């Protein structure tokens, strides 16, 4: 555990990458109309999140839910202080991202070959080779680069993934000079003990400020994991999805991405300084509600749309 | 923080008091038929929980949902190793509890006067005076006594409750020689930081083994709080409700009691040794499902009743 510096990092502001417009809507069965996507992103831009994953430039045939990302990225308001990113799998995607004026591209790999084979038809090693020219070209054009590193504790096909295997892939991503790395706990069944083992293994190789942690709440441990990463390890960046949008691709209807409003509420309640207004985030998710046609997967949203009044006191 | 002894207490088995038959069903809008209650308790008896709060001997007019507790307590199977308790507010209730053969009575107070006034028409002080003869009589008859101490971080009417106020009421309960005390985070919005402050304040006055923590998941922090109490403070007893039964009396439809199956899953995943089978608990809740007529408030239950298969690997 990196005890040194924890006190300071605990006081550093905690940043959120809001992933609902991409990672969220990609897994929603309903196509959300383009104008609703634009409104969602514009509203999210005013909640205090520092980065929004606004779209995806993968093949529209592969992910029809995000086939309109070019249009969305061109039409949104660009709020100063917010970084707008999009997923980019290849040169063709990079061209589209450049044309749409994204600030940052995101590339996607994982710590386990079975997962990358299923998702991007490549081994981990092959994905890293693909990234090399992409990352270099993006940087030449002044775009920042985020790398997703998924299956950091469990792989849905292989089971438990050793932390050293995650660290080795992370090392390769750092060699490519990506700006930040999002470590994804894809299956959502890791516990704080697993997160401690992971961070004990990777933190000696990377500055904590370059990491973002991406938790799924499938088994209800996402908040506990995030609080452990922040409180015990000084991790100050997390990915989250307004309203818990996105669900869990391995169990339809079950919880996937941790809900931004719940995560922000918990971090603030635990003492984190952060500029995000969780009530505004919950409103963004609620406004999208009828377009996704299912109840939102968020404690705060469940609580704030009830007929009985809340307790009278306020802190 | 009680660092000493943590290593050992972490290895001590973690115990669950299953509260769904009382604290759960009391807040369900539907009356659950007597035979369904008996089946629920009999099934819960075989999950590995060590204590089941099986009924309530308050006035049937006040809590019609549990008006059949006499019958339920008499009809259930008594499994060796499981303690069967019931809520008892007064002498009349104690008589009924004795006649029904309960092993243990539970008395109820809180750390804030507004809450006890609303719930038991008494100040905290008055409630403690009421308990004295009750506790003495129960002990004479060979029954154990649990005390509920609610609103240990927030009171729904007064807001934040100082930990010293909780400690003072707990001290009075210890004077009465109750066997164990359940500290209830009634509002469900406390964070791990709040739980640390509470435990730092109360643990110098009580052996951790006499405490049980009772978390509500209203804001999604129950699992994080329980893991903090176990991992950092060596607390080894928790109350929980199968399927998250009970909801939140302050916001209908929102989450109340933490779901036993989720809590057990999280504690085991974090490394706790405990004899409870969370899958059997989820089955108990699922079997009651149609009697309560709403989806269960539990991640595991959401996950296990889906059409898509689970990942193929098993640990």
């Amino acid at each position: 555990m990196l005890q040194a510096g924890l006190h300071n990092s605990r006081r550093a502001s905690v940043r959120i990458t809001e992933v609902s417009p991409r990672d969220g809507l990609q897994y929603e069965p309903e196509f959300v109309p383009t104008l609703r996507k634009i409104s969602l992103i514009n509203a999210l831009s005013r909640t205090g999140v520092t980065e929004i994953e606004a779209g995806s430039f993968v093949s529209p045939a592969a992910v029809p839910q995000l086939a309109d990302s070019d249009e969305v990225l061109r039409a949104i308001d660009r709020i100063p202080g917010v970084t707008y990113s999009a997923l980019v799998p290849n040169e063709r995607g990079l061209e589209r991202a450049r044309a749409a004026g994204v600030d940052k591209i995101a590339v996607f790999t994982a710590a386990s070959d079975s997962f990358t084979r299923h998702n991007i038809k490549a081994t981990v090693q092959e994905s890293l080779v693909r990234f090399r020219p992409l990352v270099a070209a993006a940087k030449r054009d002044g775009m920042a680069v985020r790398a997703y590193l998924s299956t950091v504790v469990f792989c849905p096909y292989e089971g438990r993934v050793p932390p050293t295997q995650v660290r080795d892939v992370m090392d390769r991503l750092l060699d490519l000079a990506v700006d930040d790395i999002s470590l994804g706990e894809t299956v959502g069944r890791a516990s704080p003990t697993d997160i401690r083992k992971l961070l004990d293994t990777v933190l000696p190789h990377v500055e904590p400020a370059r990491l973002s942690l991406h938790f799924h709440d499938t088994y209800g441990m996402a908040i506990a994991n995030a609080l452990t990463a922040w409180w015990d390890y000084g991790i100050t960046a997390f990915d989250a999805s307004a309203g818990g949008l996105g669900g869990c691709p391995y169990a339809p209807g079950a919880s996937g991405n941790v809900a931004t409003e719940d995560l922000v509420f918990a971090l603030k309640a635990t003492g984190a300084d952060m500029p995000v207004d969780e009530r505004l985030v919950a409103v963004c998710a609620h406004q999208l509600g009828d377009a996704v046609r299912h109840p939102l997967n968020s404690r705060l949203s469940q609580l704030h749309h009830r007929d009985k009044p809340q307790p009278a006191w306020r802190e």
Side-chain angles (χ1 to χ4, degrees), chain A:
Chain A
M1 192 190 299
L2 287 188
Q3 284 292 359
L6 262 195
H7 202 67
N8 278 331
S9 61
R10 272 191 203 154
R11 282 182 299 191
S13 190
V14 178
R15 290 166 292 124
I16 295 289
T17 294
E18 172 58 47
V19 301
S20 58
R22 198 285 297 175
D23 192 28
L25 298 188
Q26 166 163 356
Y27 293 108
E28 290 293 338
E30 302 280 335
F31 179 84
V32 173
T34 307
L35 285 176
R36 300 292 294 269
K37 286 176 181 146
I38 295 166
S39 300
L40 172 67
I41 295 167
N42 286 346
L44 288 168
S45 291
R46 292 166 173 90
T47 60
V49 301
T50 45
E51 188 164 332
I52 299 176
E53 195 180 52
S56 172
F57 294 111
V58 301
S59 149
V63 185
Q65 288 94 331
L66 301 176
D68 54 356
S69 282
D70 311 79
E71 210 179 332
V72 169
L73 261 299
R74 281 197 190 91
I76 52 173
D77 300 336
R78 303 293 176 104
I79 305 294
V82 180
T83 298
Y84 298 89
S85 69
L87 196 67
V88 163
N90 51 30
E91 297 288 339
R92 171 77 192 110
L94 184 66
E95 248 172 69
R96 291 169 62 199
R98 193 187 291 122
V102 307
D103 303 318
K104 190 173 189 173
I105 67 162
V107 295
F108 179 92
T109 190
S112 55
D113 279 329
S114 320
F115 195 74
T116 54
R117 277 207 191 93
H118 271 84
N119 278 273
I120 54 176
K121 317 285 177 223
T123 63
V124 172
Q125 164 66 18
E126 285 162 357
S127 75
L128 293 166
V129 170
R130 277 187 204 165
F131 291 168
R132 209 180 296 144
L134 265 188
V135 173
K139 296 209 147 248
R140 262 197 312 273
D141 291 342
M143 290 184 271
V145 180
R146 142 174 278 222
Y148 280 105
L149 174 43
S150 293
T151 65
V152 297
V153 180
F154 292 102
C155 165
Y157 311 104
E158 296 179 21
R160 197 173 276 278
V161 175
T164 49
Q165 195 170 315
V166 178
R167 187 193 59 201
D168 292 347
V169 181
M170 184 189 77
D171 279 338
R172 298 282 309 275
L173 292 168
L174 291 170
D175 290 345
L176 295 175
V178 302
D179 296 280
D180 52 74
I181 297 175
S182 168
L183 299 179
E185 205 284 272
T186 311
V187 176
R189 66 174 285 171
S191 75
T193 295
D194 299 317
I195 300 309
R196 288 188 188 102
K197 283 180 191 157
L198 174 69
L199 292 174
D200 284 338
T201 305
V202 303
L203 282 179
H205 286 223
V206 63
E207 312 92 277
R210 284 177 81 179
L211 289 185
S212 188
L213 295 192
H214 183 115
F215 290 116
H216 282 199
D217 199 35
T218 325
Y219 287 80
M221 287 182 284
I223 298 286
N225 288 339
L227 295 181
T228 297
W230 174 68
W231 182 269
D232 288 346
Y233 292 86
I235 298 294
T236 54
F238 297 94
D239 298 357
S241 178
L245 286 170
C248 172
Y250 308 105
S255 181
N257 285 306
V258 66
T260 310
E261 56 270 40
D262 290 355
L263 178 63
V264 172
F265 188 92
L267 281 162
K268 284 180 170 180
T270 309
D273 167 43
M274 54 196 309
V276 185
D277 186 330
E278 69 278 11
R279 290 163 303 180
L280 291 181
V281 174
V283 169
C284 294
H286 184 64
Q287 285 173 342
L288 197 72
D290 65 314
V292 296
R293 295 187 198 172
H294 61 72
L296 295 172
N297 227 324
S298 140
R299 294 293 191 213
L300 258 76
S301 296
Q302 286 172 357
L303 202 60
H304 287 162
H305 301 291
R306 299 293 158 185
D307 35 4
K308 247 196 184 172
Q310 285 293 101
W313 52 272
R314 294 184 71 86
E315 278 191 276

